[in-house]
């Protein structure tokens, strides 16, 4: 008999930074050139690059365009929530109650994605729901992405 997991809440602790790893790498690549032009040490400029990237993120705090899949393709057409191949804007401190029911036979992956119209969608994090969690009550797991610096709690129960 297959269990059913109900996704009760998605809570955003921190939305994706918005600063692509490629931007950070490009900034790092500029450090030697800028150091020569400014007469500064390359080391001090490299040490300052994370601060520059952080300032860029703080100045531009775009919400994540969240959607959820049970696969790892990141395709909006595979979305199980929200309905209609749409997304939901999410920022730190916000939560949504999807209320979707997902069949779980042994285990099921749940992936949170940020829709990106310009490039590939960004994985915000994933959790695994296990059939063996049936009857354990409300469970909360952290879905996170080191690359995107995003943190979401997914709360569910398996019946």
């Amino acid at each position: 008999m297959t269990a059913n997991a109900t996704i009760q809440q998605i809570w955003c602790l921190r939305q994706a930074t918005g600063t692509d790893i490629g931007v950070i790498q490009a900034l790092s690549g500029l450090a030697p050139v800028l150091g020569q032009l400014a007469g500064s040490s390359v080391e001090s400029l490299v040490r300052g690059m994370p601060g520059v990237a952080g300032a860029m993120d703080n100045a531009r705090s775009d919400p994540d365009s969240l959607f959820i899949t049970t696969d790892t393709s990141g395709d909006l057409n595979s979305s199980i929530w929200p309905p209609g191949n749409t997304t939901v804007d999410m920022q730190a401190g916000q939560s949504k109650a999807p209320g979707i029911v997902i069949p779980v036979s042994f285990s099921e992956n749940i992936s949170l994605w940020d829709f990106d119209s310009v490039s590939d969608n960004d994985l915000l994090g994933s959790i695994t729901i296990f059939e063996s969690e049936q009857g354990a009550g409300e469970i909360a797991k952290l879905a996170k992405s080191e690359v995107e610096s995003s943190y979401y709690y997914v709360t569910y129960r398996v019946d």
Side-chain angles (χ1 to χ4, degrees), residues 39-54:
S40 302
S41 75
V42 172
E43 179 185 354
S44 65
L45 284 168
V46 170
R47 287 181 186 269
M49 289 302 164
V52 171

Side-chain angles (χ1 to χ4, degrees), residues 77-101:
N77 292 325
S78 299
S79 173
I80 61 168
W81 184 86
N85 294 339
T86 60
T87 63
V88 172
D89 285 349
M90 292 285 286
Q91 289 184 297
Q94 294 180 326
S95 66
K96 300 290 180 188
I100 53 175
V101 177

Side-chain angles (χ1 to χ4, degrees), residues 8 14 16 32-33 55 66 74 78 86 89 109 113 120 123 126 136 141:
Q8 297 173 313
R14 177 180 173 156
V33 175
L66 178 72
S78 299
T86 60
D89 285 349
N109 173 73
W113 297 91
D120 291 339
L123 179 62
S126 295
K141 290 186 181 175

